[in-house]
Amino acid sequence: MMVGMSPTASRDRLLGDLDEEQREAVLAARGPVCVLAGAGTGKTRTITRRIAHLVSAGHVVASQVLAVTFTQRAAGEMRGRLRALSSDEAETSLETVQAMTFHAAARRQLAYFWPRVVGNTEWQLLDTKFSIVAQAANRRGLPTSTDDVRDLAGEIEWAKGSLISPEDYAATVARAGRDIPFDAAKIAAVYEAYEGLKARHDGRALLDFDDLLLHTAAAIENDATVAQEFRDRYRCFVVDEYQDVTPLQQRVLDAWLGSRDDLTVVGDANQTIYSFTGASPRYLLDFSRRFPEAAVVRLERDYRSTPQVVSLANRVIAAARGRMAGSRLHLVGQRPPGPEPTFSEYPDEVAEATAVARGVKRLLESGTAASEIAVLYRINAQSEAYEEALTEVGVPFQVRGGEGFFSRQEIRQALLALQRAAERDAANADGALPEIVRAVLEPLGLTAEPPTGTRVRERWEALAALAELVDEEVAQRPHLDLRALVTELRQRADARHPPVVQGVTLASLHAAKGLEWDAVFLVGLADGTLPISHALSHGPDSEPVEEERRLLYVGITRARVHLALSWALARAPGGRQGRRPSRFLNGIAPQSQRVSAAGGPSKPRKARGPAPRCRVCNAALTSPAAIMLRRCEDCPSDLDEQLLGELKDWRLRISKEMSVPAYVVFTDNTLIAIAEALPTDDAALVAIPGIGARKLEQFGPDVLAMVKGRQTS
């Protein structure tokens, strides 16, 4: 309780500005609590107020609370919120609450308990495992280039985070169908050698960041006195972004808890986008099974985005399939109305980037701060076109979560290789200039097909983007030689603005998680890019494709007011326009004009929208039933059978009241489409073919109420 404050005044200070659901989460009884918090619903405010309430009500001492997050930034924000709640001279300061990442918490605990558990053997934390992995790869005959070693390190991190030993690695990746950079047996051999090298390093134990978690869990699990001392020290636990925990992190959490249940978790399964690192939402989804008495609170009031942005986000995630779709949250926008999101199709990526840059400049001229504008894309190699376009219109930018295109190591190496080739007069070699360039880039990693392995594929994507940039230059200047080309590329690199704090943000969708801006441009939304091609290789209704859908959802929910979505039909001007809009926009993107590079309607074609395509496999839809369902009739259905039954009962009742045949109200296919699409607002309902303004007015409230009832039941 605050000094000089009555209990009522203290309670009002904690709860006065919270909505009903947030207050429910804050005041939930001590014990297991699961907060399902959608994007923009105030989860950090809610969990910090819950901690403050537990402390002020005397349920727990502040120093006995351990709150874990996934980033230092999130931990810092939580500590700042707790300090603000302590600013009026609390009897028990909230500043003693421990808010930190899993790894920081484990490192502190291990440093304390190590002498007791291990003895006099010293340990040293590996800031980077690169050199040890490189030694292990060399011993097992695998390549040791920077990107290959990084991919091997990533596989070791995934395996350790997933509690998979070297002996079990090959069988596990085979069952999971995981994309891996080398033969599984060879990766397992490198993994085993890596662990051996760490154990035999100068008489000291070398520990990587995953070892911090493994040893901490083992210390508590295997030593009763360590467990007792730790559990006396910490009594209450809070876990943020719980959908992103790995099996290893869950093991540590289980060790911390023991048989206790004083745990609050916060998460949103439909923001699970890091499964490639071992993150799993199953612990969030199974929370109520593990703790049947747990309080479960859903935060769905979105204070970040306008109702228009929220509606689009709801429509995108409503088409989700699989187990995670069952926990979807129906966001309700709380901000005043804003502009509708825009959808634009361009003939090529250059035209798309040019239009986006002009759109950014218009926002700047109308008063939007550069720091409040973001351009988000699926892969880092897409940034080049937007760096160039923003440079052309004089708009400063910063690349978040990565380097600018021409600053990347592989591009610097490529320019150096092209420079040396030009000095050797390689331009006189047989073949056209694009062929010569590709031959120079091939030893650097530009293979005919994209490789597996995250880092190697990122290198390939960047080199492929450079090769396509060369194609564009040659198309515009057919007589260009290699020397002139290198000069042109160097000039482009030199012209790019250095990163500035107030610049427009360029970022991948993964790097944008946890951030927000007033205006967001989601670009490159073409099938094969989002969803990305290697996700599609697992099948059109696979979990990797569903994770791509969640990436789009995360991107949409980064926008507060302005949101523009776009795609291009070709990579380069004049190229074959064989691309299709992302399947995730099927039935969602309205009829929209093809836009030319100049910003106006393209002359060869009339105003049009994407042709009806299946939302599962993206095939063209031709039959009326398929168009109604927004999927091929033989593609897998995600039908809510119970809702369909309720809709049919409702239709029968309404048709009797109106004295009309049931099909006059809605046809069977319309009801099936509703039970699959699960529309949550008017915009989503009228997007279903056959539901116009009149039927929306007549039947919309009833239908939406039934859908909402199913989602909250």
Side-chain angles (χ1 to χ4, degrees):
M1 185 174 70
M2 302 299 175
V3 174
M5 276 191 177
S6 68
T8 300
S10 176
R11 180 185 174 97
D12 288 345
R13 184 175 184 273
L14 286 178
L15 305 178
D17 58 349
L18 301 182
D19 64 37
E20 181 180 348
E21 294 76 23
Q22 290 170 340
R23 284 196 295 272
E24 182 184 355
V26 169
L27 297 175
R30 180 176 176 179
V33 176
C34 178
V35 182
L36 300 175
T41 57
K43 68 180 179 69
T44 304
R45 168 184 291 191
T46 301
I47 57 178
T48 51
R49 298 294 178 88
R50 174 164 176 76
I51 292 170
H53 165 68
L54 290 172
V55 172
S56 66
H59 295 303
V60 68
V61 176
S63 60
Q64 293 178 325
V65 179
L66 176 58
V68 288
T69 69
F70 281 80
T71 65
Q72 294 287 0
R73 184 185 63 81
E77 181 182 0
M78 190 177 293
R79 289 193 296 269
R81 298 282 188 99
L82 291 168
R83 277 196 302 271
L85 290 172
S86 302
S87 61
D88 290 343
E89 298 294 331
E91 288 180 351
T92 304
S93 173
L94 295 173
E95 293 187 23
T96 58
V97 171
Q98 298 297 304
M100 59 188 72
T101 65
F102 266 104
H103 289 100
R107 183 175 186 175
R108 177 177 296 187
Q109 293 159 25
L110 191 61
Y112 179 78
F113 289 119
W114 181 273
R116 187 186 315 176
V117 175
V118 178
N120 295 326
T121 303
E122 295 182 2
W123 65 276
Q124 176 184 339
L125 181 63
L126 275 173
D127 290 330
T128 173
K129 58 171 62 72
F130 185 92
S131 63
I132 308 295
V133 174
Q135 291 178 51
N138 185 56
R139 292 189 178 191
R140 295 297 181 262
L142 265 66
T144 56
S145 71
T146 299
D147 291 318
D148 287 321
V149 172
R150 285 178 177 170
D151 274 335
L152 287 167
E155 283 304 298
I156 292 171
E157 288 170 7
W158 172 80
K160 296 182 76 168
S162 302
L163 297 176
I164 298 166
S165 67
E167 295 78 16
D168 294 334
Y169 175 84
T172 304
V173 296
R175 286 195 302 270
R178 182 174 172 83
D179 293 322
I180 55 177
F182 300 102
D183 176 76
K186 293 182 178 179
I187 296 175
V190 172
Y191 179 10
E192 183 178 33
Y194 165 76
E195 293 296 329
L197 286 167
K198 286 197 293 108
R200 297 190 298 272
H201 188 81
D202 297 334
R204 291 175 299 172
L206 282 181
L207 305 185
D208 59 31
F209 284 96
D210 293 313
D211 291 328
L212 294 178
L213 301 178
L214 284 164
H215 283 283
T216 297
I220 298 173
E221 291 166 348
N222 299 326
D223 190 309
T225 59
V226 168
Q228 185 62 46
E229 183 172 349
F230 175 84
R231 290 167 187 162
D232 287 343
R233 173 71 174 82
Y234 292 108
R235 300 294 183 90
C236 177
F237 300 89
V238 177
V239 184
D240 193 13
E241 302 286 3
Y242 193 52
Q243 77 279 353
D244 288 332
V245 296
T246 65
L248 174 54
Q249 289 164 335
Q250 182 63 43
R251 179 180 167 185
V252 172
L253 180 59
D254 289 341
W256 287 344
L257 281 167
S259 61
R260 299 170 299 171
D261 64 359
D262 200 347
L263 171 65
T264 299
V265 300
V266 188
D268 177 5
N270 284 301
Q271 294 191 66
T272 303
I273 59 173
Y274 296 111
S275 66
F276 59 90
T277 67
S280 172
R282 70 176 182 269
Y283 306 109
L284 177 65
L285 296 174
D286 290 341
F287 193 82
S288 293
R289 294 181 184 177
R290 178 177 179 183
F291 301 106
E293 73 284 9
V296 179
V297 184
R298 300 167 69 94
L299 302 186
E300 298 180 303
R301 303 192 202 201
D302 187 325
Y303 298 94
R304 174 188 299 161
S305 305
T306 64
Q308 288 76 11
V309 172
V310 168
S311 174
L312 179 60
N314 284 334
R315 279 179 278 160
V316 165
I317 207 62
R321 305 169 60 81
R323 187 182 175 201
M324 273 178 272
S327 68
R328 70 169 66 89
L329 297 162
H330 169 59
L331 299 179
V332 181
Q334 303 297 301
R335 293 186 59 150
E340 289 288 345
T342 63
F343 299 83
S344 301
E345 179 179 281
Y346 296 93
D348 55 71
E349 288 184 11
V350 175
E352 183 182 11
T354 299
V356 167
R358 289 172 177 166
V360 167
K361 192 159 190 178
R362 285 193 296 271
L363 285 170
L364 293 172
E365 291 169 348
S366 66
T368 303
S371 60
E372 290 295 346
I373 302 173
V375 179
L376 306 181
Y377 35 76
R378 174 61 180 87
I379 59 174
N380 288 322
Q382 290 173 270
S383 74
E384 191 279 329
Y386 297 91
E387 293 177 45
E388 174 71 11
L390 291 170
T391 299
E392 287 290 326
V393 296
V395 172
F397 61 84
Q398 56 180 338
V399 180
R400 184 178 182 89
E403 299 173 296
F405 184 78
F406 282 103
S407 300
R408 293 172 193 165
Q409 182 185 38
E410 57 267 30
I411 298 302
R412 293 199 305 269
Q413 291 173 342
L415 292 183
L416 182 60
L418 291 172
Q419 177 85 47
R420 289 172 175 167
E423 291 169 355
R424 294 195 306 269
D425 204 20
N428 291 330
D430 293 335
L433 184 54
E435 296 172 1
I436 296 170
V437 168
R438 281 171 168 77
V440 173
L441 300 183
E442 183 177 357
L444 300 180
L446 185 61
T447 54
E449 296 294 330
T452 55
T454 302
R455 300 294 184 183
V456 174
R457 188 162 51 230
E458 286 179 356
R459 165 180 282 268
W460 183 91
E461 288 163 348
L463 294 174
L466 180 63
E468 289 170 346
L469 178 61
V470 170
D471 294 344
E472 294 171 21
E473 286 295 319
V474 173
Q476 295 173 12
R477 300 164 62 187
H479 302 296
L480 199 67
D481 62 19
L482 189 56
R483 287 178 182 273
L485 171 67
V486 171
T487 300
E488 172 65 24
L489 293 175
R490 293 284 188 195
Q491 289 173 347
R492 284 194 182 213
D494 293 342
R496 298 292 163 86
H497 292 269
V500 291
V501 173
Q502 293 301 315
V504 170
T505 298
L506 302 181
S508 71
L509 289 166
H510 282 103
K513 178 74 166 65
L515 304 175
E516 59 187 78
W517 295 270
D518 283 345
V520 169
F521 293 82
L522 293 177
V523 302
L525 302 181
D527 237 37
T529 304
L530 190 75
I532 201 160
S533 56
H534 56 82
L536 289 171
S537 68
H538 292 269
D541 60 343
S542 63
E543 171 52 28
V545 171
E546 285 304 305
E547 184 152 332
E548 295 288 299
R549 187 193 309 276
R550 296 192 293 270
L551 260 182
L552 177 58
Y553 176 75
V554 166
I556 291 169
T557 55
R558 300 310 94 195
R560 299 191 191 106
V561 181
H562 303 280
L563 178 62
L565 302 91
S566 61
W567 59 91
L569 300 179
R571 168 69 177 90
R576 186 178 72 84
Q577 297 183 348
R579 293 180 176 177
R580 299 171 180 172
S582 171
R583 64 192 60 201
F584 303 144
L585 301 179
N586 291 339
I588 293 175
Q591 296 292 306
S592 56
Q593 273 196 332
R594 166 81 71 84
V595 182
S596 69
S602 179
K603 293 181 180 179
R605 300 172 68 172
K606 296 181 180 179
R608 61 181 289 279
R613 290 191 173 275
C614 175
R615 57 188 166 88
V616 179
C617 71
N618 213 25
L621 301 177
T622 55
S623 72
I627 292 172
M628 173 73 71
L629 297 172
R630 293 194 289 127
R631 63 170 173 82
C632 301
E633 292 177 77
D634 57 352
C635 270
S637 168
D638 48 358
L639 178 70
D640 186 324
E641 295 281 2
Q642 185 173 334
L643 176 59
L644 180 60
E646 293 174 4
L647 288 167
K648 287 184 175 180
D649 291 343
W650 165 84
R651 181 182 63 174
L652 180 60
R653 177 175 57 81
I654 294 296
S655 66
K656 287 180 178 178
E657 291 176 1
M658 297 175 62
S659 300
V660 297
Y663 69 81
V664 173
V665 180
F666 284 129
T667 66
D668 282 351
N669 278 336
T670 301
L671 295 185
I672 292 171
I674 292 169
E676 290 190 0
L678 302 177
T680 55
D681 56 27
D682 289 354
L685 192 55
V686 298
I688 296 173
I691 302 181
R694 184 177 64 83
K695 289 195 174 184
L696 177 66
E697 183 179 356
Q698 279 184 295
F699 309 127
D702 285 353
V703 171
L704 294 174
M706 281 186 281
V707 173
K708 187 173 183 180
R710 283 291 299 139
Q711 292 181 329
T712 57
S713 61

